[in-house]
Amino acid sequence: MGKAQAKRQKLLAEPPFTVRIEDLSHEGRGVGRREGKAVFVEGALPGEEVRCVYTARRGRHDEARTIEVLQAAPERVEPRCAHFEICGGCALQHLDPTAQLALKQRGLLDSLTHIGKVQPERVLEPMTGPLWSYRRRARLGVKWVAKKGRVLVGFRERHSAFLADLHRCEVLDERVGGLLEALAQLIEALSIRDRIPQIEVAGGDEVMGLNFRVLAPPSATDLVQLQAFGDRHGLALYLQSGGPDSVRPLRAEPLELSYRLPDFDLNLEFQPWHFIQINAVINRQLVERAGQLLEIGPEDRVLDLFCGLGNFTLALARRAREVVGVEGDASLVEWAKRNAARNGIANAAFYAADLTGDLSAQSWTAGGYDQVLLDPPRSGALELMPQIAAWGVQRVGYVSCHPATLARDVGELVHRFGYRLLGAGVLDMFPHTAHVESVAVLQRQR
């Protein structure tokens, strides 16, 4: 037994203790105090009294797991998923969805206040959508477990590198969430069952794509079995032997992966390794909200940074004079151009550029912009704040997947460059998880 495992066993051998939960952390754990020290308790909610056991002892706080709820909070609900206590895919199924949303909104506003030192003039109404079967993009782990004589397919266990033993997933698109056992049985029958570490899920409106990462070539029999499975369930299957460039469809004429933005009469095609927003319903709302917040008019010239496949760019082009999309991944830029042509859009231009570097030599920076939309990664876009101000942009829309970096960047625009934070709010892109997606809009002070 290793030292870490021995330490954990010693912790678990300690007698259970009772603690009153006072708050909820941003990642969804209950926060209480024992002997003056903060304890983060998995599975506990504010206002509850719980019995729990230690899972970790740290310098500034301890960690524990609930084993019995002695006094339940009114917001507590029964988790829908049978695997909730084990699987790390969700953290908040035991909390009423309205309370989940309030938690996320509070987390956003706290970040703006404490990190950005700014408050929005208006808290935007949260965007909500389906609570179940919403997730169309995911990475599923795959593991052949020789001792069990079977394959596991799903997400990791909480705070563990081990795969959870899942039979179905309630938040995955039902076209895959209800197929986990069937997928496991398929892989068990393959000659390379121990050489498939993961499956990338990429769901279009009509067709669901599954991209199998393979560390060894499948046999001819394997290919027949895979294709039969895809045909039986209406799936587009892909094999990936190396990097993204190695992805190949199983079919000679692959099924098309695409999604619609009906309010803008758009249909966007993508590949299984491309980034698309996880939640189709929320994405449609978000694209519409972005145009409203930016107040796009027919004479406006708009810049969309981190544009990806053109999700926002092409929709904004329906309402603006011209839209320029910029993305760091050159292959995504080519697909954005392809989507523009596919939808008959001639007033959108796309460029590849490192948006964290020097942009002074980039041709697209000339001419000025009325509005800018940003949808950066978790690291944010701090390097772009001075440039946005230098362009004289009147309105800035910021879509964020991390409240802390949003708050930091917004604070920079407000305190250093004289913008006003007109509004900010959350969108429930990931129900039952602690992940917070948000949107903000700023106006240059005249």
Side-chain angles (χ1 to χ4, degrees), residues 326-392:
V326 185
E327 164 64 43
D329 185 335
S331 66
L332 282 177
V333 169
E334 292 307 309
W335 277 88
K337 291 177 180 178
R338 178 171 172 165
N339 278 319
R342 173 191 179 99
N343 289 278
I345 291 177
N347 63 330
F350 294 92
Y351 298 88
D354 177 5
L355 291 170
T356 65
D358 181 9
L359 302 176
S360 59
Q362 299 287 332
S363 61
W364 54 266
T365 61
Y369 294 95
D370 302 294
Q371 296 99 340
V372 167
L373 180 69
L374 304 101
D375 186 9
R378 286 179 61 84
S379 54
L382 185 62
E383 301 89 348
L384 288 168
M385 300 303 107
Q387 186 66 71
I388 288 172
W391 287 329

Side-chain angles (χ1 to χ4, degrees), residues 27-100:
E27 71 271 18
R29 292 185 292 177
V31 183
R33 302 194 74 83
R34 189 181 191 219
E35 299 175 352
K37 190 177 183 182
V39 184
F40 290 82
V41 185
E42 197 84 49
L45 298 173
E48 294 187 334
E49 187 174 1
V50 299
R51 290 181 73 240
C52 49
V53 291
Y54 283 117
T55 56
R57 297 278 195 125
R58 308 195 186 280
R60 300 181 64 178
H61 71 272
D62 295 329
E63 298 176 6
R65 174 176 55 84
T66 299
I67 58 173
E68 183 182 3
V69 178
L70 302 174
Q71 180 181 337
E75 297 84 10
R76 177 174 285 276
V77 296
E78 189 68 26
R80 176 167 169 172
C81 179
H83 311 295
F84 174 66
E85 298 293 336
I86 299 171
C87 179
C90 295
L92 296 173
Q93 280 193 30
H94 61 311
L95 179 63
D96 176 80
T98 301
Q100 291 182 32

